[in-house]
Amino acid sequence: MRTQVAIIGAGPAGMFLAHLLRADGIDAVVIERRDRDYVEGRVRAGVLEQVSVDLMTRLGLDDRLRREGLVHGGTNLALDGELFHIDMAALTGGSTVTVYGQQEVMKDLFDAVAPRGLEMVWDADDVRLHDLDGDAPFVTWTKDGAEQRLDCDFVAGCDGYHGVSRGSIPADVLKTFERVYPFGWLGILADVPPAEHELIYANHERGFALASMRSATRSRYYIQCALDEKIEDWPDERFWDELCVRLGPVTAAKVVRGPSFEKAIAPLRSFVSEPMRWGRLFLAGDAAHIVPPTGAKGMNLAVSDVTMLGEALRDFYGHGSETGIDGYSVRALARVWKAERFSWWFTSITHRFPDMDGFSRRLQMAELDYIRGSPAAQKTLAENYVGLPLEAA
Ligand code: APR
Ligand code: PHB
């Protein structure tokens, strides 16, 4: 088998890239370790920046998003139960975010696979990348016990944090940068109407809480928890009680309780690996970087990476120019690091750290109070939250 671009991984990065290349007439094959149900079933964040909405639109995959997505022009912060609103649209000249779950995005991307003739390999075991530093790279894997081989011009490593792609870059080339946070998020989904029309990021003495949603009838709530916490110790009633304390009495009165149908703990991490290109390999999405979920940048960063990579490959195949592929890593990392900075900062002002003393707690309180009172501070938050522009190549 031969193709132009072998895409490893069918998460948001791999699938958006596959559709982008298809639209530009570039051949690609997506090789995924799991099956569609597994990839689509994973519950992740659900806030799309304008760049992500724009890409869905450009690909003609925005039908359901337009009908079902909730457009938010603002968000709320809370300090010890007291809410204040950030009017993001007014602060950014009209930018908004759209609440639409990653599961819905994946469904739209997968539903368009057959009609658009995308080539997919599911259930590929033992995927390996070969000769990435030469002119003729290839990928091998086993499926149903038989070894398979795909020759290609380029490999796009879109296989997430635990994939094989990043590790194919020699150790003396790869640089990694990391922060591990001393807490996780315990998240639930429940078919109850959301407490508030827009999201609430709450800093409370007892820890962070987030009120989010998937629709007018489905809520997504999170509370910060210790890393060694056990799901079994968090029956629904305990979760709702703790959430209500952290959101404060005014919001708590609006929280509608109901049985959760999903409950999981996720650790928080910041991670970047450089470079994002080595020889014929490009990394995109979680394969190259992880952000803590505060601010919901994970999927949006995968989208901005592959938008840039798509442009670079289009220039290469369309005009024989290598400028785009040569500049990809630097261009992508410039945006990645700004999103890393924002996600780290937003996490650090909203969470309770185990070693926090009175001084650092008061700094957090002062920072939130400053944001409440300063249009300049609100503008900085807003322009990062709605997503920074994709700077020119
Ligand atoms: N071979 C083939 N596929 C692999 C391999 C492998 N060795 N290892 C992992 N994969 C697949 C995973 O099964 C997964 O479907 O690669 C895909 C990677 O998807 P994500 O982890 O979602 O990463 P990405 O597409 O970069 O998306 C980034 O989406 O899922 C969220 O938290 C994530 O918000 C982040 C964003
Ligand atoms: C979510 O709805 O899952 C969500 C929303 C905002 C975040 C993180 C997660 O910052």
Side-chain angles (χ1 to χ4, degrees):
M1 252 209 294
R2 181 167 172 88
T3 192
Q4 291 176 309
V5 183
I7 300 174
I8 316 301
M15 290 311 298
F16 270 115
L17 181 62
H19 278 286
L20 267 172
L21 296 182
R22 180 83 221 157
D24 287 332
I26 299 167
D27 287 337
V29 177
V30 182
I31 303 162
E32 164 62 48
R33 183 168 60 170
R34 312 296 294 253
D35 59 20
R36 172 177 169 167
D37 286 349
Y38 172 85
V39 180
E40 203 179 305
R42 294 180 307 172
V43 179
R44 297 287 155 85
V47 178
L48 303 187
E49 293 177 351
Q50 196 60 45
V51 286
S52 302
V53 173
D54 289 349
L55 182 55
M56 297 281 282
T57 309
R58 204 167 114 205
L59 295 170
L61 296 173
D62 57 327
D63 223 40
R64 215 159 55 91
L65 171 68
R66 302 279 163 206
R67 276 185 281 121
E68 297 175 16
L70 305 171
V71 177
H72 285 188
T75 196
N76 301 287
L77 298 186
L79 175 58
D80 291 333
E82 224 182 286
L83 249 65
F84 57 99
H85 186 249
I86 310 285
D87 188 344
M88 296 182 306
L91 290 156
T92 58
S95 295
T96 55
V97 295
T98 303
V99 174
Y100 190 67
Q102 181 170 317
Q103 286 176 293
E104 308 310 320
V105 174
M106 293 315 297
K107 182 175 185 329
D108 296 339
L109 291 166
F110 288 142
D111 281 352
V113 161
R116 298 189 180 186
L118 265 59
E119 280 188 72
M120 311 277 310
V121 177
W122 298 103
D123 300 306
D125 284 328
D126 196 21
V127 174
R128 289 180 202 213
L129 316 183
H130 308 267
D131 294 355
L132 295 167
D133 53 348
D135 292 338
F138 63 100
V139 180
T140 57
W141 66 95
T142 54
K143 178 151 170 133
D144 303 326
E147 172 124 344
Q148 310 285 334
R149 171 174 170 146
L150 176 67
D151 291 279
C152 55
D153 300 329
F154 298 103
V155 177
C158 301
D159 47 354
Y161 183 67
H162 300 287
V164 288
S165 299
R166 188 177 63 252
S168 306
I169 300 178
D172 60 343
V173 174
L174 195 71
K175 289 199 197 77
T176 59
F177 306 87
E178 188 171 44
R179 279 281 176 283
V180 176
Y181 300 84
F183 40 72
W185 279 18
L186 168 58
I188 65 156
L189 273 172
D191 277 329
V192 291
E196 193 62 50
H197 155 61
E198 290 170 339
L199 274 61
I200 306 170
Y201 291 88
N203 175 322
H204 188 272
E205 181 77 58
R206 291 174 62 86
F208 171 77
L210 170 59
S212 181
M213 67 205 67
R214 290 290 174 269
S215 70
T217 55
R218 181 166 290 182
S219 300
R220 178 84 167 137
Y221 289 109
Y222 299 93
I223 53 173
Q224 172 189 350
C225 65
L227 281 168
D228 56 4
E229 209 79 58
K230 304 248 174 324
I231 289 285
E232 310 81 81
D233 295 334
W234 285 93
D236 285 356
E237 274 319 296
R238 182 178 174 208
F239 182 94
W240 291 115
D241 288 347
E242 184 64 30
L243 176 76
C244 285
V245 169
R246 295 188 192 183
L247 292 174
V250 175
T251 307
K254 294 192 263 179
V255 169
V256 181
R257 299 183 182 211
S260 69
F261 59 89
E262 147 84 25
K263 195 184 280 169
I265 295 178
L268 273 69
R269 177 193 300 272
S270 298
F271 172 85
V272 182
S273 75
E274 299 177 352
M276 286 173 64
R277 180 227 179 158
W278 182 72
R280 296 291 183 126
L281 171 69
F282 302 99
L283 299 180
D286 278 18
H289 42 74
I290 300 283
V291 285
T294 331
K297 294 291 173 217
M299 179 166 60
N300 294 299
L301 271 187
V303 168
S304 60
D305 286 354
V306 299
T307 302
M308 294 179 197
L309 183 53
E311 284 172 18
L313 290 168
R314 193 172 57 212
D315 277 357
F316 178 81
Y317 285 110
H319 312 288
S321 164
E322 296 196 12
T323 313
I325 56 177
D326 287 346
Y328 167 70
S329 179
V330 168
R331 187 183 176 207
L333 282 166
R335 192 170 192 276
V336 165
W337 272 113
K338 290 186 196 101
E340 290 285 346
R341 184 207 69 82
F342 176 68
S343 308
W344 162 83
W345 169 79
F346 204 19
T347 303
S348 66
I349 64 159
T350 47
H351 288 66
R352 171 149 199 102
F353 287 74
D355 59 355
M356 216 158 94
D357 58 8
F359 186 82
S360 16
R361 169 79 180 139
R362 274 162 184 72
L363 286 185
Q364 272 192 345
M365 293 164 80
E367 180 132 18
L368 285 160
D369 199 31
Y370 171 58
I371 296 168
R372 185 195 342 238
S374 161
Q378 291 188 9
K379 186 168 179 166
T380 299
L381 191 157
E383 71 177 357
N384 282 279
Y385 192 87
V386 299
L388 295 174
L390 263 71
E391 273 134 32

